[in-house]
Amino acid sequence: MHWPDQHPRHDQTPYLDKLNDAQKEAVLNTEGPVMIIAGAGSGKTRVLTVRMAHLIHSGADPFSILALTFTNKAAREMRNRIENLVGPAAKSLWMGTFHSVFARILRLEADRLGYPKNFTIYDTDDSKSLIKSITKELGLDDKVYKPSLVLGRISMCKNNLIDSRSYSENEENLLQDKNANRNKFYQIFQVYTERCFRAGAMDFDDILVNTYKLLRDHIDICNKWQHKFRFIMVDEYQDTNHVQYMITKRLAAVHQNIAVVGDDAQSIYAFRGANIQNILNFSKDYPDVKVFKLEQNYRSTKNIVSAAGSLIKHNKKQLDKEVWTQNDTGEKIRVVRSITEAEEARFVAQSIFEEKNTAHYPNKAFAVLYRTNSQSRAFEEAMRKNGIDYRIYGGTSFYQRKEIKDLLAYLRLVINPGDEEALKRIINYPARQIGDTTVNKLVFLATQSSRTIWEIVANARRFPELGTAAVRVENFAMMVQGFMGMAKTHNAYDLAMHIARQTTLLKTLYDDKTVEGVSRYENTVELLNGIKEFTEDDESEVEKSLANFLEEVALYTDDPKNNDPNRDCVSLMTIHQAKGLEFPHVYVVGLEENLFPSQMALTSRQDLEEERRLFYVAITRAEKKLNLTFATSRFRYGNLMPCEPSRFIEEIDNEFLDMNLAGLKNEGMFQRFNGPSNGDKDRGKPKTGSVLKQIQKTTSASLPPVDPNFQEGDLGALKVGDKVQHQRFGFGMVKEMEGDGSNKKATVTFEALGEKKLVLKFAKMRIV
């Protein structure tokens, strides 16, 4: 079906002029199923935003356009771009994360599922707390049934539309649990589901599951939303899980104007339930799909783009595409070997320091990417020692800090008194002599009578089991009821400030004059400032109610301080957190077997291919310069253990690598990389030798076993130009001397390892 003026004149669509031919085709084909395969740095966001702007410009009702993203940041960026193209109409788009859009739908329809309209959204900490309580009530060992593990398994079940009943009826599931010594998991799952429902609460997975149930079980509601959303677009489709796939497929069933955008080579979230088959099998779901490939990379140099391509070709399961670029060739990718992780970190910090001073780059031009969070420690220390400002990207969120969650719990309880996690969090904070024993009695009484804890709290004097604590509990209830009454007549800020003062929460924090106490008080004041800004935001059409503010907080995952664009600092982050970002200079560190690829990924091709895609994502974050580093030894469990270089280094075609700093230029071992070439006739032929074997060879050659008979010499007469032998580093030449007495240092250039600075009183070295 067409709408008026579907194909406006070209002079009315200047936004099309900035698109290449492939991008333009993806924008103009707006009817029927469309799959846009977007290679790294290929202008995916531009295509999505221009496509929506073109729909609106061509006469489509913006209220009929649904755009689903995975982050609030992506949604905000796209909405701003669309608004620049078509004006205020962009405000009417149904655009946001899966969770925020579906929570919006559930606010309108939740009563059909038996939930209150003001249902609470439980975050991860709330869910873990509830699971911990349930485990205790069932008399189970919380060391076996760890809340994080239990919640993770519940989440995976929900993402695959497996509820507690069907789980308990599956013999294979029960057998797995029995073998894992968690045969009561299904009971926790069942009670958790019941308690969330009774509390009028949904966790993040429930938002998706309940949206699907709404569409599956209520034909009238399904029909309503199917006809409302005439055009559906899904960003990062390769990251969708089963329930997200089922919801979007059902919503698109009537009009089938669904456009998915993604890159199978960047599918890295299987641990969260993402199913790469959703994008690989899209053409099977929609046989008449039109496929558009965005293959031109605008971000990186030719060497970086080609290196990434040579790596990812080792994956068996992937969509066919050939990413290319017209950018400069750029420098080769440096591969750097270090002896330990500390030396690796020092190299990275010193390299950044030198690049900053010689090329005058700001700190924010650099990123250090690692496989696991635990790797950050050494780099943080090295950055501090070199005076380089840095941030841990994706660190503790502002809204996850204890003092913030305490005040938010009061606000949540005012909106939804059935929210038992909020109630338990603050019933005795600040202290009001309602201890754990009383709280446990409240939970028991609620469970026994199938009531909410709040119903017991509000009628505490009717329960003699509470003893003398009943008066204190009921006083707490009366205070909260006063807040509830105030919520009907006051805006979110006035209510929040009143609660912060009346509960003495602000005073308690203010009285703590320790460094941590001052910080907690300042954070709480900042939260109140944020609520104030929310209530005074004239541009937002959202009602300034406390419920709406809490919904935004629950769905908001970005740390505002960490994402301050004005803060000039080096970014340290896991590769998973780096997805979607780009930097002029990137250091991918810890490229060692059992670390990257992870030891847990070495048992199946599927897991190993995901690790390779993760490395592909890391490489393609770099715009101009890329360094790959590894250590030949690393501390594990308190011991210094030998490490092997990652197989992924070997999988990159050697013509794109500079192996000098990996020690491969010595003793003729660099021949494979800069030896004579026979031209194009050798292209495509297998190369002789192995990068991995060469690295391992030089590692063992330049680091022989320590000789127990090695005798250190007197270094008192050491001077520039002397040849020395180190017990571990081998032979070298003294390049520079500095310091006096016990602080005397020598800079030595070793044949195999390059330059090292040694404190003489500790150096296991002799003059040759």
Side-chain angles (χ1 to χ4, degrees):
M1 185 180 293
H2 296 265
W3 57 88
D5 195 25
Q6 183 180 0
H7 299 292
R9 298 193 315 272
H10 182 69
D11 59 358
Q12 295 177 334
T13 56
Y15 47 79
L16 296 176
D17 296 337
K18 296 181 179 180
L19 304 178
N20 62 37
D21 290 342
Q23 292 173 333
K24 193 177 296 184
E25 285 297 308
V27 166
L28 294 176
N29 282 270
T30 55
E31 293 190 9
V34 167
M35 178 164 65
I36 303 170
I37 304 172
S42 62
K44 167 180 71 73
T45 303
R46 173 183 292 180
V47 169
L48 265 175
T49 53
V50 173
R51 197 173 195 272
M52 282 183 271
H54 183 69
L55 279 168
I56 296 172
H57 188 76
S58 301
D61 183 353
F63 285 100
S64 70
I65 301 173
L66 171 64
L68 298 169
T69 69
F70 275 86
T71 66
N72 291 300
K73 179 182 177 184
R76 287 194 300 270
E77 181 182 347
M78 284 194 280
R79 190 183 294 275
N80 289 338
R81 289 196 193 185
I82 297 169
E83 193 167 349
N84 289 335
L85 294 175
V86 299
K91 293 181 183 294
S92 300
L93 289 165
W94 276 70
M95 177 187 288
T97 64
F98 283 86
H99 291 91
S100 65
V101 169
F102 296 156
R104 187 176 170 187
I105 292 175
L106 287 170
R107 289 291 178 202
L108 300 172
E109 314 284 7
D111 58 322
R112 296 291 291 271
L113 297 173
Y115 284 87
K117 292 288 182 72
N118 279 335
F119 61 84
T120 295
I121 299 175
Y122 278 179
D123 64 14
T124 301
D125 286 346
D126 296 324
S127 295
K128 287 180 181 177
S129 177
L130 179 55
I131 288 169
K132 189 174 182 179
S133 297
I134 293 169
T135 303
K136 187 175 182 179
E137 292 164 25
L138 293 175
L140 302 174
D141 187 350
D142 60 4
K143 293 180 181 178
V144 175
Y145 296 93
K146 293 181 179 178
S148 57
L149 295 178
V150 172
L151 180 60
R153 192 161 177 80
I154 290 175
S155 179
M156 290 298 284
C157 289
K158 289 182 178 180
N159 286 335
N160 288 285
L161 294 174
I162 300 171
D163 60 22
S164 58
R165 175 179 293 181
S166 57
Y167 184 94
S168 65
E169 294 172 351
N170 186 300
E171 292 184 5
E172 185 178 345
N173 291 336
L174 299 180
L175 181 61
Q176 286 180 1
D177 287 341
K178 184 177 180 180
N179 293 336
N181 194 31
R182 54 168 186 246
N183 57 325
K184 298 294 184 182
F185 166 78
Y186 77 93
Q187 283 185 262
I188 301 176
F189 189 3
Q190 182 178 2
V191 176
Y192 174 78
T193 302
E194 293 170 354
R195 293 278 282 276
C196 284
F197 182 77
R198 197 165 70 208
M202 299 184 196
D203 62 21
F204 285 122
D205 297 312
D206 286 330
I207 292 174
L208 302 179
V209 171
N210 286 331
T211 301
Y212 174 73
K213 288 180 178 178
L214 195 66
L215 300 176
R216 181 195 65 189
D217 300 339
H218 300 274
I219 301 302
D220 57 328
I221 292 177
C222 182
N223 186 59
K224 166 186 169 182
W225 292 99
Q226 284 177 333
H227 282 84
K228 175 177 177 58
F229 296 132
R230 180 169 181 157
F231 303 95
I232 298 175
M233 274 164 274
V234 185
D235 190 17
E236 304 286 10
Y237 191 67
Q238 77 280 350
D239 294 333
T240 53
N241 59 33
H242 181 62
V243 64
Q244 289 166 333
Y245 160 78
M246 292 296 289
I247 293 171
T248 52
K249 185 178 180 182
R250 191 170 289 264
L251 285 174
V254 171
H255 298 293
Q256 295 215 348
N257 294 326
I258 180 171
V260 300
V261 184
D263 180 7
D264 59 299
Q266 297 185 67
S267 178
I268 59 174
Y269 293 115
F271 68 96
R272 292 183 188 169
N275 187 355
I276 193 174
Q277 297 303 321
N278 292 346
I279 192 168
L280 294 179
N281 295 333
F282 188 77
S283 58
K284 293 181 180 178
D285 290 331
Y286 301 95
D288 57 342
V289 63
K290 297 175 184 175
V291 179
F292 302 97
K293 298 179 182 180
L294 309 183
E295 297 172 305
Q296 183 175 358
N297 180 293
Y298 292 93
R299 176 188 299 156
S300 308
T301 63
K302 283 188 173 72
N303 269 323
I304 293 172
V305 170
S306 300
S310 70
L311 168 83
I312 203 64
K313 71 182 180 183
H314 291 275
N315 273 10
K316 302 283 186 186
K317 293 183 178 181
Q318 57 181 305
L319 298 170
D320 180 49
K321 60 182 174 299
E322 192 70 35
V323 181
W324 58 277
T325 185
Q326 291 182 334
N327 293 341
D328 294 338
T329 301
E331 297 182 13
K332 287 189 175 184
I333 298 167
R334 292 198 299 176
V335 181
V336 182
R337 179 187 62 180
S338 301
I339 305 301
T340 65
E341 72 262 43
E343 184 180 284
E344 177 187 46
R346 284 195 295 272
F347 161 76
V348 171
Q350 290 167 6
S351 174
I352 291 173
F353 186 82
E354 291 169 6
E355 288 279 5
K356 277 164 48 66
N357 288 335
T358 56
H360 305 292
Y361 280 100
N363 286 324
K364 60 185 177 183
F366 301 88
V368 181
L369 310 182
Y370 35 78
R371 179 64 181 84
T372 65
N373 275 308
S374 62
Q375 290 171 256
S376 71
R377 178 191 57 80
F379 295 97
E380 290 187 69
E381 290 181 3
M383 295 295 168
R384 285 196 295 266
K385 289 177 181 177
N386 282 270
I388 300 172
D389 189 20
Y390 69 92
R391 65 174 174 179
I392 302 294
Y393 191 96
T396 302
S397 166
F398 177 81
Y399 291 106
Q400 294 299 320
R401 295 170 186 168
K402 179 186 180 302
E403 61 275 14
I404 302 303
K405 291 180 75 68
D406 288 338
L407 180 52
L408 289 176
Y410 275 103
L411 306 183
R412 284 167 44 181
L413 191 62
V414 169
I415 295 302
N416 178 14
D419 186 344
E420 65 180 61
E421 291 308 305
L423 189 151
K424 288 189 294 185
R425 184 180 188 94
I426 47 84
I427 192 171
N428 197 39
Y429 182 77
R432 50 179 64 90
Q433 294 183 301
I434 303 175
D436 289 343
T437 301
T438 300
V439 173
N440 290 337
K441 287 180 181 177
L442 292 170
V443 173
F444 175 78
L445 289 168
T447 303
Q448 190 180 49
S449 59
S450 297
R451 300 180 182 181
T452 64
I453 299 177
W454 171 254
E455 289 175 306
I456 307 299
V457 169
N459 299 279
R461 297 197 193 193
R462 298 182 185 178
F463 297 91
E465 298 94 328
L466 296 174
T468 57
V471 176
R472 295 188 292 274
V473 171
E474 197 155 282
N475 287 340
F476 168 78
M478 290 173 64
M479 179 181 69
V480 174
Q481 286 167 341
F483 299 155
M484 293 176 181
M486 188 176 175
K488 299 175 182 178
T489 56
H490 290 69
N491 65 32
Y493 172 76
D494 291 337
L495 177 60
M497 178 58 79
H498 176 75
I499 291 173
R501 288 173 173 162
Q502 186 69 21
T503 59
T504 71
L505 191 150
L506 264 184
K507 184 179 185 302
T508 301
L509 294 171
Y510 181 79
D511 289 343
D512 184 355
K513 297 302 182 183
T514 64
V515 174
E516 295 79 11
V518 171
S519 176
R520 285 192 288 267
Y521 174 76
E522 291 174 347
N523 288 337
T524 305
V525 171
E526 183 58 30
L527 172 60
L528 292 167
N529 291 340
I531 301 175
K532 183 71 170 177
E533 290 177 6
F534 170 80
T535 60
E536 295 183 353
D537 183 4
D538 294 330
E539 295 183 3
S540 173
E541 298 176 4
V542 176
E543 182 184 357
K544 313 305 179 187
S545 68
L546 187 56
N548 282 332
F549 173 78
L550 290 174
E551 182 174 322
E552 288 196 3
V553 168
L555 297 171
Y556 186 73
T557 57
D558 295 334
D559 184 334
K561 187 176 291 185
N562 273 354
N563 289 296
D564 179 3
N566 298 317
R567 184 182 171 199
D568 182 31
C569 53
V570 175
S571 292
L572 274 59
M573 67 185 83
T574 64
I575 301 166
H576 283 100
Q577 291 162 337
K579 189 167 179 291
L581 304 176
E582 55 190 45
F583 303 88
H585 297 253
V586 170
Y587 297 79
V588 184
V589 301
L591 277 163
E592 299 138 32
E593 288 292 295
N594 299 319
L595 181 56
F596 197 15
S598 165
Q599 185 175 12
M600 294 184 292
L602 301 180
T603 57
S604 73
R605 178 183 296 277
Q606 179 180 347
D607 292 340
L608 184 60
E609 290 200 351
E610 172 135 337
E611 287 287 293
R612 189 175 289 112
R613 292 194 295 269
L614 188 61
F615 186 38
Y616 176 85
V617 168
I619 291 173
T620 54
R621 299 312 93 196
E623 297 173 351
K624 298 182 181 300
K625 289 187 179 181
L626 176 63
N627 292 269
L628 309 178
T629 73
F630 65 93
T632 57
S633 60
R634 189 173 293 272
F635 276 100
R636 290 196 180 104
Y637 309 108
N639 297 313
L640 192 64
M641 306 293 289
C643 304
E644 294 182 8
S646 171
R647 69 189 70 191
F648 293 154
I649 298 175
E650 183 181 22
E651 291 176 354
I652 298 176
D653 286 354
N654 62 308
E655 62 187 292
F656 309 120
L657 301 177
D658 174 2
M659 305 294 292
N660 286 351
L661 292 178
L664 296 187
K665 62 180 178 180
N666 299 295
E667 302 175 8
M669 282 183 269
F670 200 57
Q671 182 176 355
R672 177 190 170 207
F673 302 99
N674 59 4
S677 170
N678 292 322
D680 289 341
K681 67 180 182 179
D682 283 341
R683 288 185 186 276
K685 290 185 179 181
K687 306 277 198 306
T688 58
S690 159
V691 178
L692 187 57
K693 290 178 181 177
Q694 296 284 23
I695 294 174
Q696 292 169 336
K697 183 177 179 182
T698 54
T699 297
S700 58
S702 52
L703 288 177
V706 173
D707 182 359
N709 299 316
F710 181 90
Q711 296 293 322
E712 298 172 41
D714 181 7
L715 299 176
L718 189 67
K719 63 184 183 298
V720 173
D722 282 350
K723 188 173 183 181
V724 295
Q725 182 186 11
H726 190 277
Q727 183 185 24
R728 187 179 183 194
F729 301 153
F731 293 96
M733 184 79 71
V734 178
K735 177 182 177 182
E736 185 180 346
M737 300 287 296
E738 61 180 280
D740 298 305
S742 61
N743 293 321
K744 200 169 187 179
K745 301 175 185 176
T747 301
V748 182
T749 303
F750 290 100
E751 294 176 0
L753 299 175
E755 202 171 279
K756 302 282 182 188
K757 183 174 287 189
L758 306 171
V759 179
L760 296 189
K761 68 177 179 179
F762 299 125
K764 297 182 181 298
M765 191 166 64
R766 65 187 178 191
I767 302 173
V768 178

